[in-house]
Amino acid sequence: MTDQMTLRGRTAVITGAGSGIGRAIASSLAQRGCHLALADVNTEGLAETVSLLPVSGLRVTQHQLDVADRAQVAAFPAIVREAHGGADLLVNNAGVALGGTFEMVSEADFDWLFNINFHGVVSMTRAFLPLLRASTEARLVNISSIFGIVAPAEQVAYAASKFAVRGFSEALRHELDGTTVGVTVVHPGGVRTNIAERARAPEGVDDTEAAQRRAAFKKFLRMPPAKAGEIIVRGIEQRRKRVLVGSDAVGLSLLARLAPVSYWSIMAKGLPK
């Protein structure tokens, strides 16, 4: 096995590719000569992603996909196999946000987030694992969050889903040890995407308060998506098991190691009052 995973000529399936980190990962992979099967619920976003890619000589396909729809997900590998012949990379990037305390978040909203952020990852992995196993070298890349390492107040649903992605990814990596399929779990810090603007507000929160919550969260989203995408793809090339994206992610990961029980009391001091 070479020092780095060769991405040229490989085929990558990316969910949530219509914007943000998914679009940036697609761009970095395309620059390395990787064929792409791009999926998102937003077809306009997908078309914009493709228009921005260096696609000369590459096979790039667009697919409208709701990762929370298990029937759609189950049918997707056959579509990719027909278009690309197989898949070597699966990047489970699609995700949504939902702020609010546990008591503020309805059961329906909690389930909505989990169906996308966690069950979508599990369903996509189950569907595509046979294609990945058929590759000479494959990689499953699951996008968690720094909130899969630390769990702030008022992020109970989001943090729970991202911790679940981390646990799923780590256990699956151990099960696949010795096979041709590696597993990378990614923990981005504050990346400047539209996740805050698209975050669902809990029931009972008026528009003004919801806007204030989104604005406060958005202040922490500083890293350009292109930089995040490049960090993630370099991690894939290096076959890294965990990728921390951003100095904030590195710092909070260290804090969680040093103060695994009391880190929140330290974190909270840096939040706006």
Side-chain angles (χ1 to χ4, degrees):
M1 189 176 289
T2 59
D3 291 337
Q4 289 198 339
M5 182 178 182
T6 301
L7 298 175
R8 180 170 297 279
R10 301 278 185 180
T11 296
V13 179
I14 308 172
T15 65
S19 64
I21 292 176
R23 175 178 291 173
I25 292 171
S27 178
S28 288
L29 286 172
Q31 290 170 28
R32 288 163 169 81
C34 192
H35 306 298
L36 303 170
L38 305 178
D40 203 299
V41 293
N42 182 353
T43 55
E44 291 182 1
L46 278 178
E48 185 176 350
T49 294
V50 173
S51 73
L52 297 170
L53 295 178
V55 296
S56 178
L58 298 182
R59 189 163 51 255
V60 178
T61 56
Q62 304 173 52
H63 309 272
Q64 186 174 30
L65 179 73
D66 178 359
V67 298
D69 186 322
R70 296 187 182 183
Q72 284 189 32
V73 169
F76 192 31
I79 295 171
V80 172
R81 187 190 298 112
E82 178 68 23
H84 293 272
D88 308 289
L89 295 173
L90 172 61
V91 183
N92 284 313
N93 166 74
V96 292
L98 169 65
T101 66
F102 178 68
E103 292 174 299
M104 293 170 67
V105 174
S106 70
E107 184 175 6
D109 280 347
F110 204 106
D111 289 346
W112 165 77
L113 180 139
F114 248 79
N115 283 336
I116 297 169
N117 286 10
F118 179 61
H119 293 301
V121 171
V122 175
S123 296
M124 285 290 293
T125 302
R126 189 180 302 281
F128 275 91
L129 194 52
L131 284 186
L132 297 180
R133 280 186 171 276
S135 170
T136 55
E137 182 182 4
R139 199 138 201 103
L140 170 66
V141 183
N142 292 334
I143 309 298
S144 177
S145 167
I146 188 55
F147 291 170
I149 294 177
V150 297
E154 299 197 16
Q155 291 290 335
V156 63
Y158 187 78
S161 72
K162 294 303 186 177
F163 267 80
V165 169
R166 173 187 168 190
F168 170 72
S169 303
E170 292 184 2
L172 187 59
R173 181 194 303 128
H174 301 154
E175 292 180 6
L176 293 173
D177 186 38
T179 74
T180 59
V181 183
V183 179
T184 295
V185 61
V186 180
H187 297 279
V191 180
R192 197 165 59 238
T193 69
N194 56 15
I195 191 169
E197 292 159 358
R198 293 184 177 178
R200 181 176 289 191
E203 294 178 9
V205 174
D206 62 34
D207 291 344
T208 300
E209 183 181 351
Q212 290 172 344
R213 286 172 174 270
R214 291 189 186 103
F217 185 61
K218 192 174 180 180
K219 290 179 181 178
F220 295 96
L221 308 181
R222 300 188 180 98
M223 177 179 284
K227 184 175 181 180
E230 186 61 20
I231 291 170
I232 293 166
V233 172
R234 284 204 305 267
I236 294 170
E237 284 182 314
Q238 295 164 4
R239 304 187 185 88
R240 291 176 58 188
K241 298 175 180 178
R242 173 184 285 189
V243 178
L244 297 170
V245 182
S247 58
D248 52 349
V250 173
L252 288 173
S253 177
L254 178 60
L255 176 62
R257 290 187 180 192
L258 295 175
V261 176
S262 58
Y263 66 77
W264 175 243
S265 62
I266 301 169
M267 282 180 64
K269 294 176 182 177
L271 297 178
K273 304 300 182 183

